[in-house]
């Protein structure tokens, strides 16, 4: 796409306006209801669809297809982020009424950092086509690593602060409790961070780790920086509401890691084929419609099989609990006799 500076400015201003509206509506700390989360999740998805349709009308099917493929991929990868967000919230014992503010600011930090990543990635790819090989190999490796982690079934995970966060805490100090939505307070004559600011930084900087695979993944679907940025923006800005909407459902998506590994592996292969094609090797390239179809199919199958597996597991646990109660009842009757 030939995107003018004016369009870039209008897009950023439009996104900023939407974020401002979102912030204004949720400015008062409160517990987010399922209804509120559901409405805003639908709103952000509808806005993303309207944006994609706008690309279809004004730029054609190719950019629109790339946007939808990128948006769905980023959205599915961002769901995996929610597992870590849950751990971070638990680690810092964030009061429920403050969680929506933490996620909003944390996601904004993540969006700014991703924009930097996207600009750097676009500049590198435009100058060095061989980087596609690195991106492709990295995604295939990440896919294999995801499968290994899923098979390990590490149920007890704990969030560990990154070095940047630890350095900030050591440099500025941290208050011993939350002070509403304040980010800084005066304590013993010294200006220190509140836990609210720390957890916001934790959310934002942790997302950078996820960007290491999600950014190469979307560059495997499109090399247009404008589409990469807007797909990331729409995927991330709906993440806060999604956290509250499917927080309880996350544990039921037991096959999500397998699905994401298939998607990353598929895009990794697509990148390698594209790199070979750019090098003059006659190899088939995977089209955007095929990519979009594979991504949607994998996510659909993953969701269905996850829910079936969770249902069977719940039934097995209920049966085991009933059997245990039966045994305990029999032992009690025997003692009384």
């Amino acid at each position: 796409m030939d995107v003018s500076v004016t369009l870039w400015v209008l897009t950023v201003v439009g996104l900023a306006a939407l974020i401002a509206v979102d912030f204004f509506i949720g400015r008062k700390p409160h517990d987010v209801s399922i209804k509120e989360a559901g409405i805003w999740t639908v709103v952000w998805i509808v806005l993303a669809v309207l944006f994609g349709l706008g690309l279809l009308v004004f730029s054609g099917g190719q950019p629109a297809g790339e946007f939808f493929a990128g948006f769905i991929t980023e959205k599915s990868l961002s769901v995996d982020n929610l597992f870590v967000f849950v751990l971070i919230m638990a680690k810092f014992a964030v009061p429920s009424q403050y969680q929506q503010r933490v996620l909003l600011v944390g996601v904004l930090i993540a969006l700014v950092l991703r924009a930097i990543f996207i600009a750097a990635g676009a500049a590198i790819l435009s100058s060095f086509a061989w980087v596609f090989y690195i991106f492709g190999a990295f995604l295939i490796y990440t896919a294999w690593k995801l499968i290994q982690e899923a098979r390990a079934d590490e149920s007890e995970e704990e969030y560990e602060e990154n070095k940047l966060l630890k350095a900030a805490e050591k440099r500025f100090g941290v208050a011993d409790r939350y002070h509403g939505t304040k980010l800084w307070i005066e304590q013993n004559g010294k200006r220190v961070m509140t836990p609210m600011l720390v957890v916001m930084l934790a959310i934002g900087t942790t997302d950078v780790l996820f960007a290491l695979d999600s950014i190469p993944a979307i560059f495997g679907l499109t090399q247009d920086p404008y589409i990469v940025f807007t797909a990331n923006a729409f995927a991330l800005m709906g993440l806060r509401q999604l956290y509250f909407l499917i927080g309880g459902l996350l544990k039921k998506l037991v096959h999500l890691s397998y699905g994401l590994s298939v998607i990353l592996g598929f895009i990794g292969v697509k990148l390698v084929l594209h790199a070979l094609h750019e090098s003059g090797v006659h190899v088939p390239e995977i089209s955007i419609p095929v990519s979009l179809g594979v991504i949607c199919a994998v996510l659909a199958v993953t969701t269905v099989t996850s829910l079936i597996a969770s249902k069977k597991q719940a039934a097995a646990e209920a049966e085991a609990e009933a059997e245990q109660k039966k045994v305990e009842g029999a032992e009690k009757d025997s003692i009384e006799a």
Side-chain angles (χ1 to χ4, degrees):
M1 288 178 59
D2 184 16
V3 181
S4 65
V5 175
T6 302
L7 182 57
W8 268 107
V9 172
L10 289 175
T11 301
V12 172
V13 170
L15 286 171
L18 291 172
I19 293 168
V21 170
D22 192 5
F23 181 83
F24 179 79
I25 292 176
R27 69 189 184 283
K28 185 178 179 181
H30 65 284
D31 291 323
V32 179
S33 65
I34 296 296
K35 180 180 179 181
E36 179 185 346
I39 290 173
W40 274 99
T41 297
V42 172
V43 166
W44 280 106
I45 291 176
V46 169
L47 288 173
V49 171
L50 290 175
F51 182 84
L53 292 177
L55 287 178
L56 177 63
V57 172
F58 294 104
S59 301
Q62 180 75 9
E66 290 177 356
F67 171 79
F68 283 119
F71 171 72
I72 293 172
T73 299
E74 293 299 308
K75 197 71 173 178
S76 60
L77 289 171
S78 69
V79 171
D80 202 33
N81 298 17
L82 297 183
F83 287 101
V84 179
F85 290 175
V86 169
L87 295 176
I88 292 175
M89 293 292 190
K91 169 77 173 181
F92 293 97
V94 182
S96 58
Q97 67 269 28
Y98 298 143
Q99 290 184 4
Q100 49 89 23
R101 177 67 64 84
V102 167
L103 286 169
L104 177 60
V105 178
V107 166
L108 283 177
I109 294 172
L111 183 57
V112 172
L113 293 177
R114 284 199 181 203
I116 297 172
F117 269 55
I118 291 167
I124 293 172
L125 289 174
S126 63
S127 302
F128 309 101
W130 52 264
V131 175
F132 282 111
Y133 288 110
I134 297 177
F135 277 13
F138 179 73
L139 288 179
I140 293 172
Y141 167 75
T142 303
W144 172 248
K145 188 178 177 182
L146 268 178
I147 293 177
Q148 294 296 98
E149 291 176 354
R151 292 177 64 184
D153 192 25
E154 297 177 358
S155 55
E156 295 297 325
E157 293 183 81
E158 185 176 346
Y159 169 74
E160 293 185 6
E161 298 177 11
N162 56 56
K163 292 182 179 179
L164 179 63
L165 200 58
K166 289 180 179 178
E169 291 176 358
K170 184 177 180 181
R171 170 66 178 82
F172 299 103
V174 182
D176 56 356
R177 63 182 178 85
Y178 286 88
H179 293 262
T181 57
K182 291 182 179 179
L183 305 182
W184 297 88
I185 64 164
E186 291 286 338
Q187 183 172 286
N188 299 325
K190 180 183 178 183
R191 188 174 174 82
V192 298
M193 299 189 298
T194 64
M196 175 70 76
L197 178 56
V198 176
V199 72
M200 286 176 177
L201 293 174
I203 294 286
T205 55
T206 299
D207 182 80
V208 174
L209 299 178
F210 292 101
L212 293 178
D213 55 39
S214 65
I215 298 301
I218 194 170
F219 270 115
L221 299 169
T222 177
Q223 284 80 59
D224 192 312
Y226 182 76
I227 296 177
V228 173
F229 173 74
T230 51
N232 267 274
F234 280 108
L236 280 179
M237 289 316 304
L239 192 59
R240 179 169 69 97
Q241 290 78 17
L242 203 60
Y243 172 88
F244 297 104
L245 184 63
I246 68 171
L249 185 62
L250 288 176
K251 293 181 179 179
K252 295 184 179 181
L253 299 178
V254 293
H255 295 160
L256 178 63
S257 292
Y258 292 104
L260 294 179
S261 66
V262 171
I263 291 173
L264 291 177
F266 170 77
I267 298 176
V269 172
K270 184 179 185 299
L271 272 171
V272 172
L273 291 175
H274 178 74
L276 289 170
H277 183 78
E278 290 291 310
S279 300
V281 181
H282 296 289
V283 293
E285 283 205 270
I286 302 173
S287 66
I288 287 298
V290 171
S291 299
L292 187 56
V294 169
I295 292 167
C296 291
V298 170
L299 290 176
V301 171
T302 298
T303 302
V304 171
T305 58
S306 292
L307 295 178
I308 292 174
S310 296
K311 187 176 180 179
K312 289 181 178 179
Q313 184 179 357
E317 289 175 354
E319 184 179 347
E321 185 178 351
E323 185 65 27
Q324 180 65 25
K325 288 182 178 180
K326 184 178 178 181
V327 171
E328 290 175 354
E331 290 177 350
K332 184 178 180 181
D333 291 341
S334 176
I335 293 173
E336 290 177 353

